Amino acid sequence: MKKKTIAIMMTAAMVMAMAAGCGSKESSSSDGDNKEANYKIGIQQFAEHGSLDNCREGFLEGLEEEGIKEGDNLKVEVKNAMADTATNAQIADSFVSDNMDLICAIATPSAQSAYNAAMDKDIPVVYTAVTDPVAAELADKDGNPVGNVTGTSDTLPVEEQLKMIREMMPDAKTIGILYTTSEANSVSAIATYESLVDQYGFTLETKGISQTSEIALATDDLLTKVDCITNLTDNTVVASLPTILEKANEKGIPVFGSEIEQVKIGCLAAEGIDYIQLGKQTGKIAAQILKGEKKASEIPYEIISEPGFYVNTKVAENLGIEVPSDLADSAVESFDTISE
């Protein structure tokens, strides 16, 4: 995906319209002396689940910390694709048609569609919760943007997760992963797991799905072959996590999460990142772009490198698993209930 340059011929009427404040970025003032930029952004979220919701919340907090606040000098339009690919593309097209100052794309499929839709108009796209921006063709191998697009990555701490699973389940042999074959972030994470599982004495069993309707049967099949399941940040799978947890609990098989929200709703534990903080980091990047300090094309993507341990002691009790004291003592947060 190369950035394209296009020539725009502006008529006198267009120039007058822009001068009158009809562009997406406006000026406002109560007395004509203190003018303040008004920004219009679109937030394109691929699915409805806790980690992506936290990214959105953190993104707005990050903007506000940089002096760009919704309702004051910022207008925000939020649209959720509910994990539907066609809807996702329509959202991107609508934001481009509305000539947003910036599009915030939450999750890999949204980042890809937003950038594809926006590149001809050179509208900046700032993404978050993209596990592998290089595999998603949003950055080159050195981490630099491929166009007017940048953001933050929720790269999974796979090795830390494997260490934690081995410590909690010393006799386990096979780990299962359910993933969406069309999600670049999931394919990349699977490759990382495949390269590391041998070092921790595991074999890996994977099951790919293409749509939500396949998850129930795929879960049933996977549960016959594994000692535990570890979850990715796969958007389609995470959106159906309650179904997976119900089936796994019936068989007494632990499910490990990839972030805090999955642990809250019934995963046993996770070595994961704080998605509120990831969103804040993304908001600060967006603020630089909106203020004209840098272009998206000049900012390499960023990551949060330090994971935290999260555990649900109620799930451990239900499964008859004892949490090792060193892990329990290191927990960023532990939960003694299962959220609905």
Side-chain angles (χ1 to χ4, degrees), residues 22-66:
C22 293
S24 59
K25 187 180 293 184
E26 304 168 354
S27 294
S28 65
S29 165
S30 58
D31 57 10
D33 293 325
N34 299 316
K35 292 190 175 181
E36 187 176 83
N38 284 335
Y39 304 101
K40 182 174 68 173
I41 68 171
I43 297 180
Q44 180 179 347
Q45 184 171 325
F46 183 65
E48 187 74 36
H49 59 76
S51 57
L52 301 190
D53 294 342
N54 285 349
C55 278
R56 185 184 69 244
E57 179 183 336
F59 175 74
L60 293 173
E61 289 180 12
L63 282 174
E64 186 171 343
E65 288 178 4
E66 297 300 317

Side-chain angles (χ1 to χ4, degrees), residues 49 60 70 111 116 119 167 171 180 190 211 237 289 314-315 323-324:
H49 59 76
L60 293 173
E70 185 177 8
N116 286 335
M119 71 167 104
E167 191 167 354
D171 298 324
T180 308
I190 290 288
Q211 54 190 355
V237 173
I289 297 166
K314 180 61 176 177
V315 174
V323 182

Side-chain angles (χ1 to χ4, degrees), residues 229-290:
I229 288 176
T230 189
N231 213 24
L232 308 179
T233 52
D234 185 294
N235 297 287
T236 304
V237 173
V238 173
S240 298
L241 189 53
T243 298
I244 298 166
L245 287 168
E246 181 179 0
K247 289 178 174 295
N249 288 337
E250 288 174 357
K251 293 184 176 294
I253 294 177
V255 178
F256 291 91
S258 55
E259 46 82 31
I260 183 173
E261 297 299 331
Q262 295 174 23
V263 177
K264 285 181 181 178
I265 68 171
C267 286
L268 173 57
E271 284 283 351
I273 64 173
D274 184 332
Y275 277 82
I276 292 284
Q277 292 303 317
L278 187 70
K280 280 187 178 182
Q281 190 172 344
T282 313
K284 292 179 182 296
I285 292 172
Q288 292 181 66
I289 297 166
L290 289 170

Side-chain angles (χ1 to χ4, degrees), residues 79-91:
K79 292 187 178 182
N80 194 309
M82 304 304 290
D84 183 83
T85 303
T87 303
N88 193 46
Q90 290 168 4
I91 291 170

